[in-house]
Structure formats: C-alpha cells, structure tokens
C-alpha cells in the first residue's frame, strides 16, 4: 500500500498541476502580454521556487478533518488509500472536461468521506451511538470549508468587478495614452499587493526572511504596505518614464510568478501530503512492534525531506510544459472572460437566460437614476479604440487587455493574502476564476451577444465545484468501505480500475486532440470580390459535398441494416457540419464590414451561397435524425423494395456529389452547367420511386411508420437536390462576372 501510495502521489501531482495551472496562467495567456514560452518559463521558476521554499510541513492528516488518535494504523491506511484513488480519478475527470476545480476542496472532502465511512464501521461494530461520530470527525472544519466555497465565489466576483470598474474609469481602454503618473500609481498599488501576497502566502513558512522581519510585517502591516506603495510607485514612474517599460506587463509577469510560487508552496500538500503522512506513520508503526490493527495513531507533524520537495517541483514543472489538459482547463477560463465575441463553448440554459433577463431589466432601471452626463462620461471610458484585425487572426488576438490581466492578478493576490492572514478557508482556484469572471463582467465583456453563454459557462463551473465536494465525499466513503471489506484484493482491484480509467481518458483525450488538428473545417472567407470569394470558397464547397455524401450514405446504410452505430455517426457528422455552416453565417457581419465600397456586391453572392448550403444541411439533418429515430424506436425494418430504391437513390446522389466535388477541386466551373441541365432528370428519378411506393401502399404495404418514413426521406432528398442545384446556379451565374 505504501508503494501504491507513492505511485498515486506522482499521478496526483500530474493531474493536480493540470487542473491548477489555470490559477496562475489565465491572465498572462489571455492578455498575451508576453510570449507563451516566456509565460511558461516564469511560471516554471515560480513553481520550482515555491516547492523548494516550502518548509515541508505536510499537515493534511493534522488539519482537524478527523482525529488520528481515534484510529489504528490499519484504518488510517484504508482512509489514505481511498483518498488518493478518489483524488486522481476526480481531478483527471475534471481535467478531461476542461473544467477548473479546487484541489484543496477535493482532498478535504475525500478525507472527510473516507474518515466518516471508517468511523461508522467502528461505531456499528462497537454497537455505539451515531452521536459519537463527533469524536472521530471535526464537523466544524467541514462547515468552514463549505462556507469558504460560498465566500470565495461571492467575495472574489464582487471585489473583482468593483476594482475593474474603478480601474477602467480611471485608466480607460486607451491606457497607453494616459499620463505616466497614472500608470505609476496603478503599478505601485498592484506590485505592493503582489509583494505582500508573496510574503504572506508564498514565503510565510520559508526560512528566507528572519523572524524579526516577518514579525515586523505581521505587527505593522499598514506601515509595511504604505512604504511599499511609495517605493514601488516611484520605481514604476522611473521605469515608465526613463526606460519606457510597460508597467502593466511587469505586473503580469510578477503576478504570474507569485501565484505559481504560492501554488507550489501551499498546494503541494494536496498532492503528496497524504502519501507522506502514510509513510511517516508506517515508519512509526514498523518500529513499534505492535500489530497494525492495534497500533493507535498519534497527532504528530509530518516533515518532508528536501529531496522529495525537489522531485515534486520537477514533476510539476514538466507537467506544466507538456500537459495538453492543463491548456484545455486554461482555455475554459480565458474563453469565458474574452472581451469580444468568439466561439462560445457553453450552451445557454434556463437559469442563465433568467439571470441575463433580470440583469438587463435591473440595469435599465438603475440607469434611469444616473444623470445622463455621468452615464455618457462612463461610456466614454469604456469605449475601445478600433483596430482592424483580419478575421483569420481574431482567435490569435488577446482575449483581454493588459489592464484587466493586471487587475486579475492584483485582486486575486490581495484576497488570498487577506484570507491567509485571517485563516479563512478560501480556495485559490475559486478566487482566481471568480475574480476573472467579475472583471470581465465589469469590463462589459458580457454583452448582449455573449452574456447568456458566459453566464451558462460560469454556472456550469460553479456547479462543478459543488459536485467536486459531494462526489469526493461519497466516492471516498464508498472506496474506503470496499477496501475495508475486501482488504488487499480490493486495493489491487481498485488500483487496476483507476489505472485503466486514467489510461482510457488519456488515450481518448489525445485522440480527440489529434482529430481536431487533422479534421478539415469550413473556413471563413476574407476575400473582397465575387471571383476571389468563388476561388477561396471552392475548398469549402468541395469539403461540404464530400461530407454531405458520407452523411447521406451513412444514414441510408444504417437504416437499411438497422445499424444504430452508423446512424449515430451520421447524426454526429451532420451536427458538426451544421455548426460550421452556422459559424460561417454568424461571420457575415464581419465579412461585410471588411468589404470596400467597390466590392459590396460580393456580399450578396456570399450570403446567397451560404443560405443554400444551410438548406442542404437542414435536409441532411432531417434524413439523419428520422432514420436514427426509426431504428432507435425499434420499428419494423424497411421492405426489400424500399431498401433497394433507397440504395439506388444513394448511389445517384453519391455520383452527383462526387462530380460536384471534382468541379470545385479543379475549379472547372464550366462543368456546373451540365449538372444544372440534368436537374429535371434527377427529380424525375425520385418522383418515379414515390409513385412506386404509392402503388405498393395501395396493394401490399402494411406498415404506416415505414411508409411515412420512406416518403419523408424521398421528399427531403428532393429538397436536398433542389438546394444543391440552387447553390450550383449561384456559382454558375457569378463565375463569369467581372471582378
């Protein structure tokens, strides 16, 4: 079990860093203040410094979650094994989803759940009262953690929003045009906050500062902060005036380092604290000569050897550089706080719509109370300077500016420092995420175009946090009880299951990333003239017809063979194609805005072509869903003649789409006319099949469901053909127009 816990500790370090990287990377990555490589170097140095500057006191087992002296060594080992197995599975699950959660909350509730399970076993075995559970468990600590979750969410969001609103009014979006003293005062305040955070949170237990210095800071915080503010304000003024250094970039670099260092120095306990406690108590028990089922634990400190801290720091740094899941978690936070509209990951839900609706109504009501002169001045401060950006580079632009990134790091540092000094159980993940959400709201990033999606995303993340606490408690309790019943056999089985699940998630995640990189997608147009659009969109049309061909064939084959898996692929394929076409339609605004006056006519062609492409996807969507529904409901298989007719239809649709794809691949648009001229012949083929089915229905057809489905498929195929011909006619009519 000790060997297994050591392996689990390494795994937990990897999944833990993947999750917590969002705490210190989101502001720097979102603002693109410095290059990604520089961000990673700064964060890596912070992690290494934090791990090495830790005092090495791993006190998870002594935090008061449960009372060690009430348990024997065998029971403690069961609790610790259950905690570690649950922790890696839970964190890996959240990492795979790309959702940030709290490693502190997960480890605490896992300890609580496992300890409650074993305590109940002891109570029931002794035929004692359940009221004695309080002797084993510190319920007051659990209550503090739950309140800490609520406190983190509300306080961090509110403070972040207020500070960002005030900062934006004072600095505006045109911060480079403001007087140097404004940036200097902001720099003094921000750097002072981060320095105080480094000392209070990052280096509070390190031996770098003498006890006298730390004592002075603790006894005179106001004086220390005041002197620091004056000093760093002057330094900021010198840097901006003489050396032309961007003070906001400096704040972001320093803040990223500080949060990375604090993460490594303080959250390291979440990953290796339990295995180290197990090792320490194993050594104590092995020297006692007492049986494991009789040896009573003692409340003793756990000292971590420096070599283990160094090894842990190396594992964390390597994980930070190579973990694709860490990038996925960071992306969630950055996308939700993006200043401009982008690809929204979360779908709106009932609650997000209600919140946005009432927020708009409240804003309009309160807006009427503020004088129009003040409202106009405030609006001017939030007016962003226009910068032309080609559509292909929109996703490469910063998600938000340097001011917001600096405020994110400053506010998070202040709140975590205050919580640490007041011994409040705030979660660093919750604080950093909710500060980012609060600043994005105050910065008017959640406009009417994106608010309902962003609110839904925040609600999903917050819901995941509470799910973390509940699932950690329940899962750890169940696993602890299973180990209690099954002994070493249960431990081996659970370890194998955990290993297989992690490998499966890893392979699945890698496969998804590779598919995303390799799969072709419809590209947004950036051309100005009709001919340029025709040339540029040829690859789009070739890809669209190729995928439409596969979707149609999968639907017909799946229906003919009653193969639900092929029908699922068809549904998945048309959903993806639908989303991409919808994305192109959503891009029409930016397409038209970037046209010059001489090329405005190109927009009509582009809009018309997209409209017919959408008509095609709607027909395919119906065909795919209707076929899937028929098979999924276990209705009768189609008759042989019906399947034969549908296969023939699929064949001539395939031949048609292959020919069209070849035209767009070779840009031989003269061939479009031939296909358009054959339109009537194609329609007549379908009409003949419809007439044949009418005759069969009058004589020997016995299934209403089959008949209705068959007619629907043929009719939608006719609509698909009509949309296809309309699209080809649009190209044919414009291909010979002058540029």
């Amino acid at each position: 079990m000790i060997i297994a816990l050591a392996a689990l500790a390494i795994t937990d370090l990897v999944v833990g860093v993947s999750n917590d990287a969002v705490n210190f990377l989101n502001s720097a990555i979102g603002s693109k203040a410095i290059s990604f490589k520089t961000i990673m170097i700064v964060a890596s140095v912070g992690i290494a410094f934090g791990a090495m500057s830790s005092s090495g006191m791993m006190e998870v087992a002594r935090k008061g979650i449960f009372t060690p002296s009430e348990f024997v060594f065998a029971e403690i080992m069961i609790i610790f094994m259950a905690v570690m197995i649950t922790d890696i599975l839970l964190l890996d699950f959240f990492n795979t989803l790309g959702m940030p959660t709290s490693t502190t909350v997960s480890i605490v509730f896992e300890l609580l759940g496992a300890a409650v399970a074993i305590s109940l076993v002891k109570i029931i075995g002794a035929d004692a009262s359940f009221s004695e559970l309080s002797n084993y468990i510190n319920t007051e600590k659990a209550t503090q953690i739950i309140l800490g979750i609520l406190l983190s969410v509300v306080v961090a969001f509110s403070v972040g929003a207020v500070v960002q609103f005030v900062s934006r009014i004072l600095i505006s979006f045109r911060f480079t045009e403001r007087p140097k003293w404004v940036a200097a005062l902001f720099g003094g305040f921000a750097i002072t906050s981060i320095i105080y955070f480094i000392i209070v949170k990052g280096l509070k237990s390190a031996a770098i500062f003498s006890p006298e210095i730390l004592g002075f800071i603790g006894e005179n915080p106001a004086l220390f902060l005041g002197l620091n503010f004056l000093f760093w304000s002057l330094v900021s003024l010198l840097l901006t005036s003489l050396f032309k250094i961007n003070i906001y970039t400096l704040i972001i670099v320093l803040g990223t380092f500080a949060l990375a260092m604090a993460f490594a120095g303080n959250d390291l306990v979440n990953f290796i604290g339990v295995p180290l406690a197990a090792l320490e108590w194993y050594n104590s028990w092995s020297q006692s000569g007492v049986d494991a089922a009789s040896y009573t634990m003692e409340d003793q400190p756990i000292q971590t050897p420096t070599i283990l801290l160094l090894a842990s720091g190396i594992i964390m740094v390597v994980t930070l550089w190579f973990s694709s899941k860490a990038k996925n978690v960071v992306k969630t936070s950055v996308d939700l706080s993006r200043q401009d509209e982008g690809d929204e990951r979360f779908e709106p839900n009932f609650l997000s719509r209600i919140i946005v609706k009432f927020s708009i109504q409240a804003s309009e009501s309160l807006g009427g109370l503020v004088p129009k002169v003040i409202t106009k001045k405030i609006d001017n401060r939030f007016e962003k300077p226009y910068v032309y950006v080609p559509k292909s580079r929109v996703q490469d632009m910063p998600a938000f500016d340097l001011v917001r990134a600096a405020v994110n790091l400053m506010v998070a540092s202040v709140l975590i420092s205050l919580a640490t000094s007041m011994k409040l159980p705030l979660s660093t993940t919750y604080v950093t995420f909710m500060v980012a959400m609060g600043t994005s709201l105050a910065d008017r990033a959640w406009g009417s175009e994106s608010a309902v999606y962003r609110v839904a995303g925040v609600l999903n993340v917050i819901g995941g946090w509470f799910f973390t606490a509940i699932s950690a408690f329940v899962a750890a309790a169940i696993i602890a009880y299973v180990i209690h019943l099954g002994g070493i056999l249960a431990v081996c089985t659970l370890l194998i299951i955990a290993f297989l699940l992690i490998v499966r998630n890893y392979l699945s995640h890698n496969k998804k990333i590779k598919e995303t990189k390799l799969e072709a997608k419809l590209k947004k147009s950036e051309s100005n003239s009709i001919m340029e659009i025709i040339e540029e969109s040829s690859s789009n049309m070739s890809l669209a017809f190729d995928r439409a061909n596969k979707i149609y064939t999968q639907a017909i084959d799946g229906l003919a063979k009653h193969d639900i898996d092929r029908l699922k692929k068809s549904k998945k394929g048309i959903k993806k194609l639908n989303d991409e076409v919808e994305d192109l339609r959503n891009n029409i605004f930016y397409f038209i805005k970037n046209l010059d006056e001489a090329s405005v006519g190109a927009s009509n062609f582009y809009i018309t072509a997209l409209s017919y492409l959408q008509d095609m996807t709607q027909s395919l969507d119906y065909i795919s869903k209707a076929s899937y529904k028929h098979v999924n409901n276990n209705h009768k298989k189609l008759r042989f003649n019906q399947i034969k007719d549908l296969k023939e239809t699929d064949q001539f649709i395939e031949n048609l789409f292959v020919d069209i794809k070849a035209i767009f691949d070779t840009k031989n648009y003269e061939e479009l006319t031939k296909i358009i001229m054959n339109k009537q012949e194609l329609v007549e083929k379908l009409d003949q099949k419809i007439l044949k089915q009418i005759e069969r229905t009058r004589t020997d057809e016995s299934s209403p469901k089959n008949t209705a489905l068959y007619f629907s498929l043929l009719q939608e195929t006719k609509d698909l053909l009509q949309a296809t011909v309309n699209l080809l006619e649009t190209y044919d009519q414009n291909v010979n127009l002058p540029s």
Side-chain angles (χ1 to χ4, degrees):
M1 289 177 77
I2 289 294
I3 294 171
L5 283 170
L8 290 172
I10 296 172
T11 308
D12 208 30
L13 276 170
V14 173
V15 296
V17 172
S18 298
N19 179 83
D20 280 3
V22 67
N23 295 350
F24 49 87
L25 291 180
N26 62 344
S27 292
I29 290 177
S31 65
K32 297 186 184 293
I34 48 179
S35 69
F36 181 76
K37 186 177 180 180
T38 305
I39 292 170
M40 297 298 280
I41 291 172
V42 170
S44 299
V45 173
I47 288 175
F49 194 80
M52 291 306 298
S53 64
S54 171
S55 67
M57 299 299 291
M58 300 287 122
E59 300 184 343
V60 168
R62 301 175 56 242
K63 288 291 186 180
I65 302 301
F66 64 93
T67 308
S69 58
E70 294 291 330
F71 298 89
V72 297
F73 177 67
E75 293 165 343
I76 288 287
M77 289 300 291
I78 290 173
I79 292 172
F80 285 172
M81 183 61 70
V83 166
M84 291 305 292
I85 291 174
T86 305
D87 201 52
I88 60 171
L89 290 177
L90 189 64
L91 293 181
D92 188 64
F93 170 73
F94 274 92
N95 292 343
T96 303
L97 293 178
M99 302 278 276
T101 192
S102 170
T103 53
T104 303
V105 169
S106 64
I107 202 79
V108 166
F109 275 88
E110 286 152 4
L111 282 166
L112 186 62
V116 165
I118 299 303
S119 300
L120 291 175
V121 169
K122 290 169 68 73
I123 290 170
I124 294 171
D127 199 22
S129 170
F130 286 109
S131 61
E132 293 190 15
L133 186 63
S134 59
N135 296 332
Y136 300 91
I137 306 298
N138 188 343
T139 53
E140 182 181 350
K141 186 69 174 181
T143 304
Q144 279 186 339
I145 296 294
I146 294 171
L147 291 176
I149 296 175
L150 298 173
L151 195 63
S152 299
V153 172
V154 177
V155 173
F157 186 84
S158 303
V159 174
V162 170
V163 174
Q164 178 62 35
F165 183 77
V166 173
S167 299
R168 190 61 75 190
I169 288 178
L170 295 175
I171 301 173
S172 81
F173 277 97
R174 303 176 188 273
F175 55 91
T176 55
E177 302 172 8
R178 301 290 290 157
K180 295 286 190 297
W181 63 268
V182 174
L185 289 179
F186 184 86
F189 190 81
I191 295 174
T192 299
S193 304
I194 294 169
I195 292 293
Y196 186 68
F197 168 79
I198 290 175
I199 294 173
V200 172
K201 183 71 175 172
L203 303 177
K204 61 175 181 177
S205 56
I208 293 178
F209 298 105
S210 66
E212 291 77 16
I213 293 176
L214 293 175
F216 171 79
I217 295 173
E219 292 171 7
N220 306 281
L223 178 61
F224 174 78
L225 292 173
L227 292 173
N228 262 272
F229 174 71
L230 291 174
F231 174 76
W232 289 113
S233 295
L234 290 173
V235 169
S236 298
L237 187 60
L238 288 173
L239 291 175
T240 53
S241 301
L242 299 181
F243 300 100
K244 308 301 180 184
I245 293 175
N246 191 322
I247 197 64
Y248 302 103
T249 302
L250 179 63
I251 294 168
I252 292 166
V253 171
L254 188 60
T256 300
F257 170 82
L259 286 175
M261 185 189 68
F263 153 73
N266 292 271
D267 287 1
L268 194 60
V269 63
N270 299 338
F271 313 132
I272 65 173
V274 166
L276 286 174
L279 177 62
E280 188 78 15
W281 278 336
Y282 169 78
N283 292 332
S284 177
W285 162 75
S286 60
Q287 295 169 10
S288 68
V290 180
D291 184 77
S294 305
Y295 182 70
T296 304
M297 303 311 304
E298 297 178 2
D299 189 7
Q300 57 188 26
I302 309 301
Q303 184 69 31
T304 309
T306 304
I307 188 67
L308 288 181
L309 290 174
L310 177 61
S312 299
I314 292 172
I315 292 171
M316 294 163 85
V317 170
V318 170
T319 301
L320 183 67
W321 277 89
F322 296 102
S323 173
S324 59
K325 290 186 178 181
K327 297 179 180 69
N328 198 26
V329 176
V330 172
K331 187 176 184 300
T332 299
S333 178
V334 171
D335 285 348
L336 286 174
S337 54
R338 183 178 294 279
Q339 185 67 38
D340 300 309
E341 289 80 17
D343 295 331
E344 301 294 348
R345 174 179 169 183
F346 297 92
E347 289 297 321
N349 53 48
F350 174 76
L351 193 54
S352 71
R353 292 187 183 99
I354 292 294
I355 291 174
V356 171
K357 180 180 178 181
F358 281 103
S359 297
I360 291 173
Q361 291 176 349
S363 176
E364 290 174 349
S365 300
L366 292 173
L369 302 176
V370 180
K372 290 184 178 180
V373 176
I374 296 177
T375 302
K376 187 176 181 180
K377 286 184 178 180
I378 292 175
D379 289 341
N380 288 338
R381 310 302 285 176
F382 282 87
E383 185 177 322
K384 296 186 290 292
Y386 175 76
V387 179
Y388 170 74
V389 180
K391 293 182 286 295
S392 59
R393 293 190 57 236
V394 167
Q395 290 299 319
D396 298 329
M397 296 302 293
F400 40 81
D401 68 358
L402 301 181
V403 173
R404 175 132 65 95
V407 170
N408 284 345
L409 293 164
M410 174 179 66
V411 174
S413 298
V414 169
L415 291 178
I416 296 170
S417 302
L418 288 174
T420 301
S421 61
M422 297 169 65
K423 303 188 185 305
L424 293 174
L426 287 182
S427 162
T428 53
T429 301
Y430 297 172
V431 168
T432 52
F433 179 82
M434 291 311 298
V435 165
M437 295 306 101
T439 56
S440 62
L441 175 66
D443 228 10
R444 301 187 179 182
W446 297 3
S448 57
E449 302 288 335
S450 60
V452 71
Y453 304 99
R454 307 286 175 87
V455 173
V458 173
L459 292 175
N460 278 331
V461 173
I462 294 175
W465 295 345
F466 287 97
F467 174 76
T468 300
I470 296 168
S471 56
F473 180 91
V474 173
I478 293 172
I479 291 176
Y481 186 65
V482 169
I483 295 174
H484 167 74
L485 294 177
I488 196 66
L489 179 62
V491 170
C492 293
T493 304
L494 288 168
L495 287 173
I496 292 171
I497 292 172
F499 174 77
L500 291 175
L501 286 173
I502 289 175
V503 170
R504 175 176 160 273
N505 283 345
Y506 174 78
L507 294 176
S508 175
H509 182 71
N510 274 9
K511 182 182 177 184
K512 185 177 179 182
I513 289 176
K514 287 178 182 177
E515 287 177 351
T516 302
K517 288 180 179 178
L518 294 175
E519 67 187 8
K521 292 182 67 175
L522 303 184
K523 298 176 182 177
K524 298 173 183 176
S525 177
E526 293 187 13
S527 301
N528 293 325
S529 70
I530 292 178
M531 284 309 299
E532 285 178 353
I533 295 172
I534 289 174
E535 290 287 323
E536 188 181 59
S537 63
S538 291
S539 59
N540 267 358
M541 292 305 160
S542 171
L543 179 60
F545 278 102
D546 183 51
R547 286 164 61 180
N549 192 6
K550 290 177 183 176
I551 291 164
Y552 190 88
T553 298
Q554 284 172 341
I556 299 303
D557 281 352
L559 182 61
K561 298 173 183 176
H562 257 231
D563 186 346
I564 198 72
D565 290 332
R566 286 187 70 80
L567 291 169
K568 282 180 180 177
K569 287 180 181 178
S570 178
K571 274 185 67 180
K572 184 178 179 181
I574 188 56
K575 182 183 184 305
K576 186 172 181 301
L577 184 59
N578 253 330
D579 289 343
E580 290 178 27
V581 173
E582 186 63 29
D583 189 38
L584 293 182
R585 288 181 64 82
N586 290 337
N587 189 60
I588 286 174
F589 170 81
Y590 302 101
F591 169 76
I592 295 174
K593 290 285 279 186
N594 288 338
L595 288 175
D596 53 51
E597 289 185 13
S599 306
V600 172
S603 60
N604 188 44
F605 165 77
Y606 186 69
I607 294 168
T608 304
L610 282 183
S611 176
Y612 290 135
L613 186 59
Q614 188 173 46
D615 289 343
M616 287 176 57
T617 60
Q618 287 173 349
S619 293
L620 287 167
D621 187 49
Y622 179 86
I623 291 168
S624 178
K625 287 181 178 177
S627 302
Y628 175 83
K629 180 181 177 183
H630 186 86
V631 175
N632 197 39
N633 288 341
N634 296 303
H635 294 316
K636 282 183 181 180
K637 290 186 178 181
L638 296 180
R639 296 167 69 94
F640 173 77
N641 287 333
Q642 291 172 324
I643 292 174
K644 179 173 174 291
D645 286 348
L646 286 176
K647 285 284 191 180
E648 289 175 358
T649 303
D650 176 40
Q651 188 59 54
F652 81 72
I653 288 290
E654 181 175 352
N655 294 337
L656 173 66
F657 283 4
V658 167
D659 290 343
I660 295 173
K661 181 182 185 302
I663 291 171
F664 282 110
D665 282 338
T666 60
K667 298 183 174 61
N668 187 17
Y669 302 116
E670 291 79 7
E671 296 295 320
L672 290 174
T673 307
K674 294 181 182 178
I675 295 177
I676 295 169
M677 295 295 289
N678 290 333
K679 168 189 172 183
Q680 194 57 39
E681 180 185 341
L682 298 174
V683 173
E684 285 175 0
K685 286 183 179 181
L686 290 173
D687 286 337
Q688 288 171 8
K689 296 185 185 303
I690 291 173
L691 288 173
K692 285 167 64 177
Q693 178 59 28
I694 292 173
E695 188 61 33
R696 285 195 293 262
T697 304
R698 290 170 57 84
T699 55
D700 59 351
E701 181 61 71
S702 60
S703 172
K705 295 286 186 187
N706 282 7
T707 302
L709 175 66
Y710 184 80
F711 282 134
S712 296
L713 293 182
L714 290 182
Q715 192 59 51
E716 283 299 329
T717 302
K718 283 181 67 175
D719 291 345
L720 174 63
L721 279 176
Q722 184 62 55
T724 300
V725 172
N726 289 342
L727 178 62
L728 299 184
E729 286 176 344
T730 302
Y731 271 82
D732 189 51
Q733 291 165 5
N734 290 278
V735 74
N736 295 317
L737 291 178
S739 301

